[in-house]
Amino acid sequence: MNIQNIMELEQEEALQPMSPSAQYLKSSALSLTILGVMELEVPIDVSIGMSLLRDLFIPINHRFSSIMVSEEGGAKKWKRVEVNLKDHVAIPVLPSGLSTDYYDECFSEYLSKLASEQLPENRPLWEVHVFNYPTKNAGGNVIFKLHHSLGDGYSIMGALLSCLQRLDNPSMPLTFPSCQSNSKPNRQSHGFLTHVNRFFSGLINTAYDIGCNLLKSSLIEDDKSPIRSGHGVDCGPFAITTTTFSIEHIKQIKTKLQVTINDVITGVIIFGTRLYMQRENQDSSKANCTALVLLNTRAIGGYKSVSEMIKPNAEMPWGNRFAFLQVSIPNLTASEINNPLKFVYKARQLIQRQRNSASVYFTGHFLDAITKYRGPEATARYIYNTLNNSSLAISNVIGPVEQLALANIPVKGLYFTVPGVPQSLQVTIVSYVEKLRIVMSVEKGFIDPNKFKSCLEDAFETISKAALE
């Protein structure tokens, strides 16, 4: 074999095929990133952080040391390159000895700026930002910015957990909340006629949902409202704020109402959203609004190790495995204001109905079909239009029950958001150590982040009071 053949072989080995989802998530029509924040009890030594990235993070997956390249036919592939850590790690420098409020404001602006910027394409699509100044929630913050083409929330969370340990006992594995429904089963639901009725209602629900999804993704768009400006804002600017609810408190509401945690938190989000709309514009309480719920299509019972995720035919494979569900947000009427629990029960009704519909799985297969026959750019345009025609996006990631440590530093909190969506409002949810963190990413100058946060907290308090008193 001559030198030229050897060089061609080495170049071919350096190229790895890109999955269809990776291609349409990084395209001219759509480019999504994942912005994750890890709140530390104290600032981290940057040299230790660099060692963790070099020795633990980069070796996790070849995508973390690859760039996207296009072949002659237009197909995209991952190309291995040398990673210069200094290009991927940023450490903002601010005046020292100032107030926590000052650093908190600086952190918010820094996060907003990061959310509005695209990742450079001439190096692997990730960055780490070390904000070693005290904020209201942490002694220091580490920000992970990764392109969504590298993997979805499940994959990225699995990768990050590989770099962390349990604080109480590093040798023990992490545990995660059960994904099983805790609502009481209906013991009379096992009859033959009930199964027949459920089968046919499932067919009707599936057909109806598929039709509505296709129409809303192409022809029908939501009304302009206080949460939807009507023009794509995928490049920002965004304002990001968070609030925290106790999972134990949510469980008390769940038990009292005999519903699930998902029912409670979905009810809080849709009630809080409608409250904000009404307070901004009284006439908008009946505006047509759709929430686009992004769902992981894996049957998650916990996170697998990265080595298991990247195996061929893995049970929980690395990559992007998602579909979306379009949910109409109920109107806010006088009866709902007087009885806010109706929003929890409506949320339960919507969730149970969707469980008896196969439209979510159809959506995943439909995206695959578009990619196969029309290419990833067409799939990207379809997803973009679906997002743009709705009012808000909702997604969630399950975090561990035990507290984590990064280089022996306790991790106080975790949260994430997904820059690049065209909606004016995005809500993301993370569970971690008996806390539920809700993140609101809003179009800057259009939605008031503090007022929306206040409406969400008011909704939770109102529902809690009505349920427990």
Side-chain angles (χ1 to χ4, degrees):
M1 185 178 290
N2 58 37
I3 295 176
Q4 184 177 354
N5 289 337
I6 293 173
M7 291 177 64
E8 288 176 354
L9 182 61
E10 289 178 346
Q11 184 177 10
E12 185 176 335
E13 290 177 347
L15 296 178
Q16 297 284 338
M18 285 184 65
S19 67
S21 59
Q23 293 187 58
Y24 61 65
L25 289 172
K26 182 72 174 74
S27 64
S28 61
L30 185 71
S31 184
L32 304 181
T33 55
I34 299 173
L35 200 63
V37 178
M38 190 180 298
E39 297 171 333
L40 304 180
E41 197 165 280
V42 296
I44 187 172
D45 185 322
V46 175
S47 62
I48 295 176
M50 297 285 271
S51 298
L52 289 173
L53 289 172
R54 182 181 59 251
D55 300 333
L56 292 179
F57 179 74
I58 293 176
I60 284 174
N61 193 296
H62 71 86
R63 299 185 186 189
F64 295 150
S65 56
S66 301
I67 61 172
M68 287 186 179
V69 295
S70 298
E71 295 189 315
E72 288 184 6
K76 294 181 179 179
K77 289 193 173 183
W78 294 112
K79 180 183 179 181
R80 287 282 188 101
V81 295
E82 198 71 33
V83 178
N84 185 350
L85 276 179
K86 292 182 179 179
D87 291 337
H88 293 266
V89 179
I91 308 163
V93 177
L94 301 172
S96 60
L98 299 180
S99 68
T100 300
D101 288 339
Y102 172 80
Y103 293 127
D104 207 64
E105 182 64 28
C106 290
F107 180 74
S108 296
E109 289 298 321
Y110 192 83
L111 205 59
S112 176
K113 183 173 179 289
L114 276 182
S116 303
E117 295 175 342
Q118 292 290 326
L119 287 161
E121 296 185 0
N122 62 345
R123 59 181 186 242
L125 297 171
W126 60 271
E127 294 175 349
V128 174
H129 299 254
V130 182
F131 192 90
N132 268 341
Y133 298 93
T135 58
K136 292 179 181 177
N137 294 320
N141 291 270
V142 177
I143 306 166
F144 294 86
K145 184 175 182 179
L146 306 99
H147 200 275
H148 218 309
S149 59
L150 299 175
D152 56 14
Y154 178 89
S155 300
I156 300 302
M157 177 67 88
L160 294 180
L161 292 178
S162 299
C163 304
L164 303 167
Q165 296 175 315
R166 275 180 62 159
L167 179 64
D168 60 344
N169 190 340
S171 63
M172 291 292 291
L174 295 164
T175 59
F176 297 85
S178 170
C179 293
Q180 300 295 323
S181 171
N182 292 320
S183 58
K184 293 184 178 180
N186 184 351
R187 298 185 182 277
Q188 299 179 352
S189 64
H190 302 292
F192 174 74
L193 291 178
T194 301
H195 284 299
V196 171
N197 180 63
R198 183 177 297 172
F199 173 76
F200 283 106
S201 65
L203 288 179
I204 294 170
N205 289 343
T206 300
Y208 177 82
D209 291 340
I210 289 172
C212 286
N213 288 350
L214 291 174
L215 286 172
K216 288 183 177 180
S217 297
S218 54
L219 300 175
I220 301 174
E221 63 179 77
D222 283 0
D223 298 331
K224 290 184 179 181
S225 70
I227 63 166
R228 183 175 186 269
S229 63
H231 58 267
V233 291
D234 35 304
C235 293
F238 305 100
I240 300 168
T241 188
T242 74
T243 189
T244 304
F245 299 137
S246 163
I247 292 180
E248 183 58 37
H249 194 167
I250 296 172
K251 286 179 178 177
Q252 292 174 10
I253 300 172
K254 175 211 74 166
T255 302
K256 190 72 174 180
L257 301 182
Q258 295 188 2
V259 295
T260 67
I261 288 178
N262 279 343
D263 298 334
V264 175
I265 199 62
T266 304
V268 168
I269 290 172
I270 60 178
F271 183 34
T273 300
R274 282 295 186 184
L275 280 179
Y276 176 82
M277 293 173 65
Q278 186 193 51
R279 291 174 185 178
E280 289 293 293
N281 183 343
Q282 190 76 25
D283 296 332
S284 70
S285 59
K286 294 184 179 180
N288 178 39
C289 293
T290 305
L292 196 71
V293 183
L294 302 178
L295 301 171
N296 191 316
T297 56
R298 301 174 181 88
I300 297 177
Y303 291 92
K304 298 291 184 181
S305 67
V306 174
S307 59
E308 289 180 89
M309 281 195 275
I310 61 177
K311 287 179 180 177
N313 303 315
E315 180 187 0
M316 300 288 184
W318 182 282
N320 286 281
R321 301 289 190 278
F322 71 91
F324 42 78
L325 178 67
Q326 300 190 52
V327 178
S328 295
I329 299 178
N331 293 337
L332 181 63
T333 63
S335 63
E336 272 82 15
I337 293 177
N338 295 328
N339 184 8
L341 298 183
K342 286 187 177 181
F343 273 95
V344 177
Y345 292 126
K346 282 186 177 181
R348 177 174 176 78
Q349 184 180 12
L350 288 169
I351 291 171
Q352 286 187 326
R353 182 189 175 284
Q354 293 299 336
R355 284 176 180 165
N356 197 27
S357 170
S359 62
V360 171
Y361 299 98
F362 170 84
T363 301
H365 290 302
F366 184 64
L367 294 179
D368 292 340
I370 296 176
T371 305
K372 181 178 180 180
Y373 295 108
R374 297 182 59 194
E377 285 288 338
T379 310
R381 287 192 296 272
Y382 178 83
I383 295 174
Y384 182 90
N385 290 335
T386 303
L387 290 163
N388 196 41
N389 288 350
S390 63
S391 295
L392 72 150
I394 302 175
S395 58
N396 76 292
V397 168
I398 298 172
V401 173
E402 297 84 14
Q403 189 171 11
L404 298 167
L406 175 65
N408 297 319
I409 300 173
V411 177
K412 295 182 67 178
L414 295 169
Y415 62 92
F416 78 102
T417 188
V418 184
V421 298
Q423 293 114 316
S424 301
L425 172 62
Q426 178 192 168
V427 178
T428 52
I429 307 161
V430 181
S431 63
Y432 175 60
V433 195
E434 289 301 312
K435 298 290 183 182
L436 201 69
R437 193 72 169 270
I438 299 184
V439 187
M440 295 141 279
S441 178
V442 305
E443 181 182 347
K444 213 168 187 178
F446 179 70
I447 296 177
D448 185 326
N450 293 321
K451 187 178 288 187
F452 189 90
K453 173 183 173 181
S454 177
C455 288
L456 211 61
E457 291 170 344
D458 288 348
F460 183 78
E461 288 302 318
T462 305
I463 288 172
S464 175
K465 185 176 180 181
L468 301 178
E469 289 188 358

